[in-house]
Amino acid sequence: MTLTNRRRTAAALAVLTTVVAPMGGCSSMSPSQPENPAVAPLTDDESRGQVVDAAKEIVRAAGLDITYANLQWEWCNDQGEPPFRTKVELAFVTPAGEDRSAQIAASVAAQPGWESGPPPGYVPAGDVVHKGGVWASIGPGNNPERGGIQIYGECRNFNDHRDTDGVEITHEIRGG
């Protein structure tokens, strides 16, 4: 191969790498993102309802004394762009040093529609339950007398929530 041909080949590979690499993305970060175009995107209210309703069901099923609940939006890719999903973080009272994660997960999994483990495509740590594409990870909290639960909705909201702050929803979760 001549020097000119090697340079042309190297230039073609550089262009190909520049064009193809960004197209790969990180779709593995968002398995619940619809790969099927027939799956409809969720509105903000639907996305919010997924995780708030799930939080209420979990609290009721496990009889939790909630000290704090926060709702926030998070992106489902590493570019910080749509699609987004909603996330609820719960803190609850537990006896100091006692990890009730497995007991809570079992109580929730016994409820209609809920199953043990994550939805297909996810491999989170800890005690996990799911209902459809909505899943919750249950574990210790940020101090010895608290437990924590993170509830994740589906990556199907295509509105731009990059500048959306979290909202405290403790009263809403406790109330019903």
Side-chain angles (χ1 to χ4, degrees):
M1 187 182 278
T2 67
L3 181 59
T4 303
N5 284 342
R6 278 188 253 166
R7 286 184 180 159
R8 284 184 187 151
T9 301
L13 286 173
V15 169
L16 186 59
T17 303
T18 304
V19 172
V20 173
M23 292 171 51
C26 289
S27 61
S28 64
M29 292 178 65
S30 57
S32 65
Q33 178 180 345
E35 294 179 15
N36 179 352
V39 176
L42 296 173
T43 66
D44 289 354
D45 287 341
E46 290 168 331
S47 294
R48 185 183 195 284
Q50 277 190 327
V51 293
V52 169
D53 291 348
K56 289 177 181 180
E57 290 177 26
I58 291 168
V59 168
R60 192 170 38 250
L64 301 176
D65 180 8
I66 297 300
T67 60
Y68 182 76
N70 183 64
L71 180 131
Q72 59 196 34
W73 293 94
E74 68 180 22
W75 60 80
C76 299
N77 58 50
D78 61 353
Q79 291 84 33
E81 298 174 350
F84 287 83
R85 66 178 171 198
T86 47
K87 175 183 176 183
V88 167
E89 294 181 332
L90 300 175
F92 58 91
V93 176
T94 190
E98 185 178 313
D99 184 0
R100 296 181 42 212
S101 304
Q103 175 190 4
I104 293 167
S107 295
V108 175
Q111 301 304 304
W114 286 93
E115 297 181 49
S116 293
Y122 285 98
V123 187
D127 292 291
V128 179
V129 293
H130 77 280
K131 184 177 189 178
V134 176
W135 59 282
S137 176
I138 307 158
N142 58 2
N143 78 46
E145 297 176 351
R146 298 287 181 266
I149 301 175
Q150 294 80 41
I151 304 162
Y152 300 90
E154 295 177 274
C155 291
R156 292 176 39 205
N157 185 297
F158 288 85
N159 294 324
D160 191 344
H161 288 284
R162 282 182 276 211
D163 296 324
T164 305
D165 293 328
V167 178
E168 184 180 347
I169 60 169
T170 309
H171 181 71
E172 183 178 355
I173 300 301
R174 282 183 187 154

